[in-house]
Amino acid sequence: MQTGGIRRVDPPLLEAGMWGTGRSPAPQGGEPLAPQRPDYAAIESSREFALLRSRLRRFVFPMTFVFLSWYLTFVLLAAYAHDFMGTRVFGLITVGMLLGLAQFVTTLAITLAYNRYAKRKLDPQVDLVRARAGVGPA
């Protein structure tokens, strides 16, 4: 059955695994057919999959650019701005130490932001692509 440009694999025909690893029933008096698998080319060319990739790129590329810029700035400051990085903020704590710790905080913040974004925007789209391909929850 054709659904939105994706060949649908009927889940009841699959005996094991959600990716079509089961065997389909035997035709009358014959051998069982080969395992049915999703049509990956059709899935990849579908509108739903294109939207999923677009949403992923919309988050990943800008966030990667921001983080790498921030990290490179930190490295360059550490390499060439010794006086600035060695400036004491309070006690023995320097600007360099605070910026170094901020790298960890930034990594955690990006991870949490991606997790939230994936739950809201990516996971529902993945479920839709799987359902249309007949390999996931309908």
Side-chain angles (χ1 to χ4, degrees), residues 52-123:
L52 175 63
R53 289 177 54 131
S54 172
R55 286 181 180 177
L56 179 67
R57 288 179 180 147
R58 201 175 304 147
F59 182 89
V60 170
F61 288 149
M63 198 58 67
T64 300
F65 176 76
V66 167
F67 182 77
L68 288 177
S69 298
W70 159 227
Y71 179 73
L72 183 60
T73 300
F74 173 73
V75 169
L76 290 173
L77 286 172
Y80 298 108
H82 297 282
D83 292 337
F84 173 69
M85 294 294 269
T87 303
R88 291 181 188 238
V89 179
F90 51 90
L92 297 176
I93 306 299
T94 64
V95 171
M97 293 170 112
L98 293 177
L99 291 178
L101 289 173
Q103 291 288 318
F104 291 102
V105 173
T106 304
T107 301
L108 178 64
I110 290 172
T111 302
L112 294 174
Y114 176 77
N115 190 25
R116 184 171 185 256
Y117 182 81
K119 283 182 182 177
R120 285 185 15 240
K121 299 285 187 179
L122 300 179
D123 292 349

